[in-house]
Amino acid sequence: MSQEEKLESLKKRYGRKRPAEGFGGPAGPGPGPGGPGRAKRMGFGRPANGKGTILRLLGYLKGDTLKLFLAFVCIILNTIGTLLGSYLLRPIINTYIVPADGSRGDPAGLTRALALMAFIYLVGVGANYLQARIMLTVAQTALKKIRNDLFGKMQSFPVRFYDTNSNGDLMSRFTNDVDTVGMMLSNTLVQLFAGILSIIGTLLLMIYTNLWLTLVTLVMIPLMMRAGKAVAKRSHRFFSAQQASLGAVNGYIEEMITGQKVVKVFCHEQAAQEEFDLLNRDLRDNQIRAQFFGGVMGPVMGNLSQVNYSLTACIGGLLCIFRNFDVGGLTVFLNFSRQFSRPINEISMQISNVFSALAGAERVFSVMDEAPEPADDTDAAVLEPMKGHVALDHVTFGYYPEQVILKDISLYAKPGQKIAFVGSTGAGKTTITNLINRFYDIQGGTITIDGVDIRHIRRDNLRKNIAMVLQDTHLFTGTVMENIRYGRLDATDEEVIQAAKTASAHSFINRLPQGYQTMLEGDGANLSQGQRQLLNIARAAISRAPILILDEATSSVDTRTEKHIEHGMDRLMANRTTFVIAHRLSTVRNANAIMVLEHGEIIERGDHEDLVAQKGRYYELYTGLSELE
Ligand SMILES: Nc1ncnc2c1ncn2[C@@H]1O[C@H](COP(=O)(O)OP(=O)(O)O)[C@@H](O)[C@H]1O
Ligand SMILES: [Mg+2]
């Protein structure tokens, strides 16, 4: 592969921004899990429904109408102050510096007039300050509401939502997109309004001061804008190239930092360095080009406005000599013609900000519009206390309707019974547990608890009564104590310690620097995988739920520790319905019933002795497993 091809492929891989696309309605049928379709669907850069989005954004400003009104009054005051202040120079020059009658200037009058001018400017500045304060409060209040709505919505989403959307993308909606909206609310809107006001005001004053000179400016401004545009267009191209290179370099660095260990393990440091060098050089080249053109743009515009200035001064001077145009008028006019082009440039910049903010707002709103978990039936049951009879009756399920994962699963578990699921990876063990607590709803058959269909049990009631150790552990930022207590918030310290003992976590916790008060950060990065699992088990152990689900809860724990846990757990499981998924035989051997799953079907069931006697799949697994142990 040539260097260029290599660079292209690297940039394609790492230069991609975060998958910043829109959501497609409720996760519809997509290609299989893990396929490219699972990651993302259609996207948009520009707002698709600008008007609706604007109205919705305005809805967030509703409570602050009075403040908004005040802010706009301030903007008007500021514009008037600025224009009036500049215009005042005309009478000042004409009356106090070079009086029309040829007499000498009047220093005292000049001082008074200048004081008045300063006062007017001050009022303008004060109004501007007030406006900025008000708009900041208004915008931040709106942002707070938006973030709250978004977060509230996220808590209500079904598990499916999180399974089908990338975390990075969600995070960027929460941060980047909300931020761009905030920028627009606090800044852009104001600047647009102020810019338009000041253009109109300046133009009117220019016409009032001298019509002919105004015509000169009106001819020159479009010329200046065209030149600016030409430069901007090219620099935009180089600027995009620079951003792409920058994205690639950042993406590469990010991946190499997170994957540093793997890089070291396979001795890829040299290759990584070379690849980085390639990307880095590309960034340098593009940055030079972009910044050169960025740097050219200013001077070009500057030169043209010098031309405009000289031309106006020249014609204005002639008008003074031959047409009685006053010197004061010429002075303020020259100022105005300088000021005139500034808001025009600003407005064109702000308009692109508005577009990106609207696109951001749309991405935020599209999350808000996702369907939440359907509400419980109004007559949904509350089982208090729940005993823990669990029955699956001919259950059929697929994450996508046309792709059946579980076929015709039936089983019955009494309180105090231990049901084990065994089977190869991908057989559907975790999926069954996801159905019992209604992370997903089934497509066929019924699941009942204590004889009640779980679709007619209130979700909070259902989930409160099922303690679960998920296959993927998660620890929150907080102390060990707090993390275990997450399982039951009213547990006392003694109960937490008891649960830790049950889970065989007590001794290692005591060896941590601050024992139970040790802070865990970054999902427990300072613990071993097995220790994380023990904490998750302790969290389940502290709950008093009558149903317990352990999904490969001890997969990273050594066999000796696992035996310890089992003794503790036996007590815990005594009168609970327990579902265990485990790869170790010792864990499943004493279960009341073992279900062997294969491609989503129960192919064998019975207790350990029955299944060994059958000499089927379980026997195969068993003999294989016992060899390993
Ligand atoms: N969130 C999901 N969306 C779509 N398919 C999934 C999802 N989770 C698991 N699957 C698929 O369901 C099948 C069963 O997975 P799972 O129940 O996790 O197996 P295991 O027996 O290893 O726990 C696998 O083919 C897997 O690819
Ligand atoms: Mg699993």
Side-chain angles (χ1 to χ4, degrees), residues 425-426 428-431 471 551-552 581:
T425 304
K429 307 180 293 292
T430 300
T431 305
Q471 189 165 5
D551 190 354
E552 300 188 17
I581 298 173

Side-chain angles (χ1 to χ4, degrees), residues 33 38 163 399-400 403 405 423-432 440 471 551-552 581:
R38 192 169 169 185
D163 280 350
Y399 289 96
Y400 302 104
Q403 201 183 42
I405 301 277
S424 42
T425 304
K429 307 180 293 292
T430 300
T431 305
I432 293 188
Y440 288 88
Q471 189 165 5
D551 190 354
E552 300 188 17
I581 298 173

Side-chain angles (χ1 to χ4, degrees), residues 74-256:
C74 285
I75 297 173
I76 295 174
L77 267 181
N78 172 260
T79 313
I80 292 180
T82 314
L83 290 176
L84 200 63
S86 331
Y87 188 76
L88 228 79
L89 210 53
R90 185 180 196 182
I92 288 177
I93 292 177
N94 290 346
T95 320
Y96 303 116
I97 301 179
V98 275
D101 55 13
S103 63
R104 283 198 36 184
D106 170 9
L110 179 65
T111 317
R112 260 177 289 131
L114 284 180
L116 176 67
M117 188 168 159
F119 174 74
I120 290 176
Y121 272 130
L122 260 178
V123 170
V125 170
N128 201 24
Y129 170 81
L130 207 64
Q131 168 273 117
R133 284 295 299 254
I134 295 175
M135 281 314 287
L136 255 180
T137 336
V138 170
Q140 291 304 331
T141 310
L143 285 195
K144 176 188 148 266
K145 277 188 223 154
I146 292 176
R147 277 194 298 262
N148 247 343
D149 281 4
L150 195 57
F151 193 79
K153 266 317 269 245
M154 302 236 286
Q155 299 301 313
S156 77
F157 288 144
V159 171
R160 180 186 294 282
F161 176 84
Y162 293 99
D163 280 350
T164 45
N165 288 296
S166 92
N167 296 350
D169 181 49
L170 279 178
M171 283 303 301
S172 99
R173 284 170 204 237
F174 238 107
T175 52
N176 298 348
D177 290 338
V178 171
D179 280 351
T180 40
V181 172
M183 278 297 289
M184 174 174 88
L185 292 182
S186 66
N187 258 332
T188 311
L189 284 184
V190 170
Q191 293 203 358
L192 274 180
F193 184 62
I196 291 171
L197 265 187
S198 118
I199 288 180
I200 296 175
T202 313
L203 188 64
L204 287 180
L205 279 178
M206 277 163 79
I207 293 174
Y208 177 70
T209 309
N210 191 299
L211 185 62
W212 297 110
L213 284 182
T214 310
L215 289 180
V216 174
T217 309
L218 288 184
V219 171
M220 283 304 287
I221 293 277
L223 280 182
M224 282 161 61
M225 281 177 54
R226 190 160 302 166
K229 238 189 207 150
V231 179
K233 209 166 152 191
R234 295 195 71 175
S235 78
H236 177 77
R237 210 174 64 223
F238 293 129
F239 189 71
S240 310
Q242 169 191 303
Q243 288 306 96
S245 305
L246 195 62
V249 167
N250 283 344
Y252 196 80
I253 294 174
E254 190 184 327
E255 185 156 314
M256 288 306 135

Side-chain angles (χ1 to χ4, degrees), residues 43-77:
F44 38 70
R46 296 226 146 181
N49 174 13
K51 203 167 146 209
T53 311
I54 291 173
L55 286 180
R56 204 160 159 187
L57 268 179
L58 289 182
Y60 280 96
L61 298 174
K62 235 181 216 153
D64 286 324
T65 327
L66 191 68
K67 282 190 187 151
L68 272 177
F69 178 73
L70 248 173
F72 278 86
V73 171
C74 285
I75 297 173
I76 295 174
L77 267 181

Side-chain angles (χ1 to χ4, degrees), residues 423-424 596-598 603-604 615-622:
S424 42
V596 183
L597 274 172
E598 189 84 54
I603 53 167
E604 286 170 29
K615 295 223 158 142
R617 182 88 181 97
Y618 183 79
Y619 179 77
E620 270 173 44
L621 280 169
Y622 168 61

Side-chain angles (χ1 to χ4, degrees), residues 20 113 133 167 169 246 258 348-349 380 392 408 420 489 502 513 528 560:
R133 284 295 299 254
N167 296 350
D169 181 49
L246 195 62
T258 47
S348 60
M349 254 159 61
L392 276 69
D408 204 27
L489 294 180
T502 305
S528 83
R560 236 173 64 100

